[in-house]
C-alpha cells in the first residue's frame, strides 16, 4: 500500500491531496485548499504544514511519501526565486523530513527537497507540468485550458507528451502558454484601463479596488458559496459589497452610479478578459495546428472552466472540446494540480512487487 | 494675528501646513506629510491628528482655525463616500472641535465639519480645487498640471477662475481632468499590460509587484532620498530591490533578466505613462483653446513636475509653460494642496479690522 500526500504550494493558496494505492487501484482519500498568503506571513508556513500533517495522520493514518510543486517562490517576500525555493524546501524538510519530500522538475522528475535549491530554475513553478503530464496520459492530442483563480495555463499535449514551448514562467508568458489572469483574484485594472459609462470613456483608478471575483459574482457567473475569496476591501463577498468595490474603480460609489452602470462596468471587464484568454488560446492553437498538422481537443479545467472557458470556446467556434468535469471525479477537480501530482508520484513510488 | 492649520487628508498621505498672517503678511510656519494608509488603519486616525496638534501647539503656540480637504473617503475601508466623509469629519471634530474645523466644497466655500456629511458630494475630493483656486489668483489663463505621487490633476483656469468641466472624481476622470496615475504609487500593470523583452511580447502579471517609484528610481529620474515610498514588497527603496520588483512583473527575477532587460521594462513603463498624461493634457488643452480662444500657460507642480511634466511638455512642443518651483517657495511646494488651502482660509478668516 502506498499513501501519497501531494501539495501544490501557491503564493495565495496551498492545495493538497491524499492518495492511496491499494490492490492496483488509486483512490483520492481527502483533499483541500487553504488560503495562505505567502507575501503576508511566509515564516508561519511550517505551522500550516504541521496542521495539515496532524489532521491527515490523525484521520487517515500513516503517509508513505510527500511530494510537492510550488509557485510561491514568486511571492515578493522572496527577493529571488532561488531564495523562495530554498525557504519552501526547508519548510517542507522541517515538517516532513522523515517522508523524504520531493519536488517535481519540469522534465517530469522528482528531486529530493535537499537538492531543490541547486536546481531552482528546474523546479520553480512546475504545477502546470504536473497537471499536463497527468492529462497527457489520458488525452493524446490536446490543449489543456486550465483557468484558475489567479492564472490561466494553456498547455499543448501531442502524442500524450507535454509539448509546451515555454518552461519558466517568463518563457510561458512570452509564448502565451501562461496568462496571468484568472476567475477570482485578478485586479480589474490588469484587464482594462478604461470603461465606457454613459457613453463617456472613463479611465480607471490604479489601486486594487475590485477583482474579477466581483465581476463574475455580479453577473451571476459564480456564487459566493462556491468560492472562498479574499476581497479587495476585506469586506464580505456579497453582491452589495461587490457593487461598492466595482464603483470604486472609477472613483465612484453606489450613490453615484446606478446598478445598471455598475453592471455595465462588469460586462466590459468580462468581455475584455474573454478576449485576453481567447487571443492566447488562439495563438497556442494556431501554433499547434501548424506544428502537428492535427486538431487538438481543448480540455477545460479549473475554477473558471464554465464561467470563462466555455464562452471563450464558443466565441472561437471550437467544437472539439471537453470539460474535464465530465471525465474526472468532482473531488479530483477541486484540487486538480495536487491530485495530478499525487497520481504521478503514486505511479513512480508504487513498489514493483507486492509485499516489497 | 491669524494662525491657520490646514490639512489635505489623502487615502495614503496626510499633508499639513501651518500659516500665520501678521501685519498683512502670510507666512508658512511649518508643514509636513505623514504616511497614513486609511485602508489599513482608518480608526487610528484621531491618534495621528492628536500627534499633529500636540507637535504644532508645543512648538508654535495657539492655532486660530483648522481647515481641511480630503480624498480619503474613497479608501475602501468606507463602503460609500458619505460614510467616509462622516468618519473623517467626526475625527476632525474629535480632535479639533474647539477650532471649529471647516472643509472646502467645490464651489470654494468652507463648510463646518458638523454639516459635511449632509453635503458629502460637494465636499468629497476637493483638494484639487484648493490648489487651483490659489493658483488661479496668480495666473489668469492657465492649465494647472499637478503630477502627484498617486494622481495627476489637469485644471483649466480662465480669467483667474477655475473652469474645470468635472467636479466629482468620476466626472473628472471622464473629462481627463483627473488621471489616476502618479510618480510613485502607481501599480505598473495600471500603465502597461505587456512589454517587449528580447523582441518578444510578454504579458504582465496582475499582482502589485512594482510601482512607478521603482521605474523612476531605476532610470535616475528620482532619488530615494527625495521621497518616502512604501514599496510593493515592503523591502527598501533601493535600486537593487527595485530591480527585483520590476523583474517580478513578468514573473521573473534578477537571475533571469539582465540589468539591461529590466531597464528596458522601466523605459517602456515610462514611455507609456508619459503618453497617458500627454493624451489627457492634450484633450484638456484642446478644449481650452476651443472654448476660450487663447493659449493657456501650463503651470507645472507636484512631485512629478520635473520627472514627468517637463518631458511631456517637450513631447507636446509646448513652449508656454512655467514650473511653479521657480515662482513659489520650495517649502510651499512640498505640501502644496495644504498650503493653498491654508492661503484661501487665511484670506477669508483674517479679521477685517485690526484688534477685533
Amino acid at each position: 500500500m502506498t499513501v501519497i500526500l501531494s501539495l501544490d504550494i501557491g503564493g495565495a493558496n496551498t492545495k493538497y491531496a491524499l492518495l492511496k494505492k491499494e490492490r492496483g487501484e488509486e483512490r483520492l482519500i481527502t483533499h483541500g485548499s487553504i488560503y495562505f498568503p505567502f507575501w503576508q506571513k511566509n515564516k508561519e508556513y511550517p505551522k500550516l504544514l504541521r496542521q495539515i500533517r496532524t489532521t491527515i495522520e490523525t484521520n487517515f493514518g500513516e503517509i508513505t511519501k510527500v511530494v510537492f510543486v510550488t509557485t510561491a517562490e514568486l511571492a515578493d517576500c522572496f527577493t529571488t526565486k532561488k531564495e523562495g525555493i530554498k525557504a519552501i524546501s526547508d519548510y517542507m524538510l522541517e515538517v516532513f523530513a522523515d517522508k523524504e519530500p520531493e519536488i517535481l522538475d519540469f522534465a517530469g522528475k522528482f528531486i529530493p527537497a535537499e537538492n531543490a535549491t541547486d536546481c531552482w530554475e528546474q523546479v520553480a513553478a512546475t504545477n502546470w507540468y504536473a497537471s499536463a503530464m497527468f492529462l497527457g496520459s489520458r488525452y493524446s492530442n490536446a490543449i489543456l485550458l486550465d483557468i484558475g483563480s489567479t492564472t490561466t495555463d494553456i498547455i499543448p499535449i501531442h502524442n500524450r507528451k507535454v509539448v509546451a514551448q515555454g518552461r519558466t514562467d517568463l518563457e510561458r508568458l512570452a509564448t502565451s502558454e501562461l496568462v496571468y489572469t484568472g476567475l477570482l483574484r485578478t485586479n480589474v485594472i490588469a484587464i482594462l484601463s478604461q470603461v465606457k459609462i454613459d457613453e463617456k470613456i472613463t479611465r480607471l483608478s490604479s489601486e486594487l479596488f475590485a477583482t474579477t471575483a466581483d465581476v463574475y459574482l455580479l453577473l451571476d457567473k459564480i456564487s459566493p458559496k462556491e468560492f472562498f475569496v479574499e476581497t479587495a476591501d476585506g469586506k464580505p463577498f456579497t453582491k452589495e459589497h461587490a457593487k461598492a468595490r466595482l464603483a470604486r474603480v472609477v472613483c465612484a460609489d453606489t450613490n453615484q452610479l446606478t446598478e445598471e452602470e455598475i453592471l455595465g462596468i462588469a460586462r466590459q471587464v468580462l468581455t475584455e478578459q474573454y478576449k485576453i484568454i481567447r487571443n492566447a488560446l488562439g495563438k497556442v492553437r494556431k501554433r499547434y495546428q501548424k506544428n502537428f498538422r492535427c486538431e487538438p481537443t481543448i480540455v477545460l479545467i479549473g475554477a473558471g472552466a464554465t464561467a470563462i472557458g466555455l464562452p471563450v470556446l464558443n466565441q472561437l467556434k471550437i467544437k472539439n472540446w471537453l470539460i474535464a468535469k465530465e471525465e474526472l471525479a468532482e473531488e479530483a477537480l477541486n484540487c486538480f494540480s495536487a491530485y495530478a501530482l499525487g497520481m504521478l508520484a503514486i505511479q513512480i513510488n508504487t513498489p514493483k512487487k507486492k509485499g516489497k
Side-chain angles (χ1 to χ4, degrees), chain A residues 4 69 79 86 89 102 217 244 252 266 310 313 316 327 331 335:
Chain A
I4 302 259
V69 287
T79 302
K86 175 157 178 28
S89 305
E102 289 180 338
L217 180 69
L310 285 183
L313 293 185
L316 285 170
E327 305 271 312
E331 65 265 27
C335 58

Side-chain angles (χ1 to χ4, degrees), chain A residues 52-103:
Chain A
I52 294 174
R53 177 169 188 165
T54 306
T55 310
I56 285 177
E57 290 185 335
T58 309
N59 294 306
F60 307 101
E62 212 196 325
I63 300 163
T64 317
K65 178 87 193 164
V66 177
V67 291
F68 66 108
V69 287
T70 182
T71 49
E73 73 283 352
L74 184 64
D76 60 15
C77 47
F78 306 119
T79 302
T80 60
K81 296 189 184 194
K82 190 174 176 181
E83 183 188 319
I85 293 292
K86 175 157 178 28
I88 295 156
S89 305
D90 285 351
Y91 296 156
M92 287 297 290
L93 285 166
E94 192 179 326
V95 178
F96 293 110
D98 57 323
K99 304 298 172 194
E100 295 173 4
E102 289 180 338
I103 185 167

Side-chain angles (χ1 to χ4, degrees), chain A residues 9 23 31 39 54 57 86 199 205 215 221-222 232 279 284 299 306 309 319 332 347:
Chain A
I9 305 170
R23 283 174 244 117
H31 69 279
W39 63 95
T54 306
E57 290 185 335
K86 175 157 178 28
E199 292 307 303
S205 146
V215 168
K221 304 282 182 187
I222 61 174
N279 285 347
V284 176
V299 179
T306 310
K319 300 263 186 285
Q347 283 157 15

Side-chain angles (χ1 to χ4, degrees), chain A residues 245-293:
Chain A
R245 286 187 285 266
L246 210 53
R248 218 171 269 131
V249 303
V250 285
C251 301
D253 71 4
T254 49
N255 290 317
Q256 293 176 302
L257 290 176
T258 64
E259 176 162 350
E260 193 39 51
E261 285 169 329
I262 295 173
L263 292 178
I265 298 174
R267 270 181 228 113
Q268 293 173 68
V269 178
L270 170 141
T271 302
E272 188 64 23
Q273 196 179 33
Y274 283 2
K275 189 174 150 194
I276 291 167
I277 295 176
R278 197 171 69 223
N279 285 347
L281 177 61
K283 273 184 209 164
V284 176
R285 185 168 168 244
K286 209 168 157 187
R287 208 155 55 214
Y288 192 103
Q289 291 165 330
K290 198 182 149 207
N291 288 344
F292 306 115
R293 311 208 163 267

Side-chain angles (χ1 to χ4, degrees), chain A residues 31-243:
Chain A
H31 69 279
S33 179
I34 302 172
Y35 180 69
F36 183 94
F38 262 82
W39 63 95
Q40 274 172 19
K41 48 180 186 175
N42 159 30
K43 289 188 176 146
E44 291 173 38
Y45 198 64
K47 214 192 292 177
L48 179 78
L49 288 178
R50 235 170 260 122
Q51 275 169 19
I52 294 174
R53 177 169 188 165
T54 306
T55 310
I56 285 177
E57 290 185 335
T58 309
N59 294 306
F60 307 101
E62 212 196 325
I63 300 163
T64 317
K65 178 87 193 164
V66 177
V67 291
F68 66 108
V69 287
T70 182
T71 49
E73 73 283 352
L74 184 64
D76 60 15
C77 47
F78 306 119
T79 302
T80 60
K81 296 189 184 194
K82 190 174 176 181
E83 183 188 319
I85 293 292
K86 175 157 178 28
I88 295 156
S89 305
D90 285 351
Y91 296 156
M92 287 297 290
L93 285 166
E94 192 179 326
V95 178
F96 293 110
D98 57 323
K99 304 298 172 194
E100 295 173 4
E102 289 180 338
I103 185 167
L104 188 72
D105 76 2
F106 62 39
K109 278 189 311 201
F110 283 95
I111 309 284
E114 291 87 346
N115 306 337
T117 312
D118 295 333
C119 48
W120 63 271
E121 239 181 323
Q122 279 79 50
V123 298
T126 56
N127 62 337
W128 63 275
Y129 200 82
S131 308
M133 270 181 82
F134 175 74
L135 284 178
S137 67
R138 299 187 149 229
Y139 307 107
S140 48
N141 290 302
I143 291 175
L144 172 64
L145 177 61
D146 183 354
I147 304 171
S149 65
T150 308
T151 55
T152 295
D153 293 299
I154 308 177
I155 320 291
I157 291 164
H158 183 62
N159 285 344
R160 301 190 186 277
K161 286 210 177 66
V162 178
V163 289
Q165 298 217 333
R167 300 205 138 184
T168 64
D169 277 351
L170 176 62
E171 290 170 3
R172 299 178 64 230
L173 283 173
T175 55
S176 298
E177 290 169 353
L178 168 64
V179 193
Y180 208 116
T181 201
L183 180 74
L184 306 175
R185 287 190 63 251
T186 307
N187 189 340
V188 159
I189 51 156
I191 295 175
L192 272 183
S193 59
Q194 54 187 37
V195 292
K196 231 183 216 181
I197 299 175
D198 196 19
E199 292 307 303
K200 291 187 206 102
I201 299 287
T202 306
R203 280 190 62 86
L204 302 193
S205 146
S206 57
E207 309 283 354
L208 171 55
F209 277 149
T211 57
T212 43
D214 296 316
V215 168
Y216 290 104
L217 180 69
L218 285 175
L219 298 177
D220 291 316
K221 304 282 182 187
I222 61 174
S223 83
K225 280 176 208 148
E226 276 177 279
F227 301 100
F228 171 76
V229 169
E230 197 202 27
T231 60
D233 58 3
K235 299 213 165 107
F237 188 47
T238 63
K239 282 198 177 183
E240 238 13 80
H241 284 292
K243 274 185 252 171

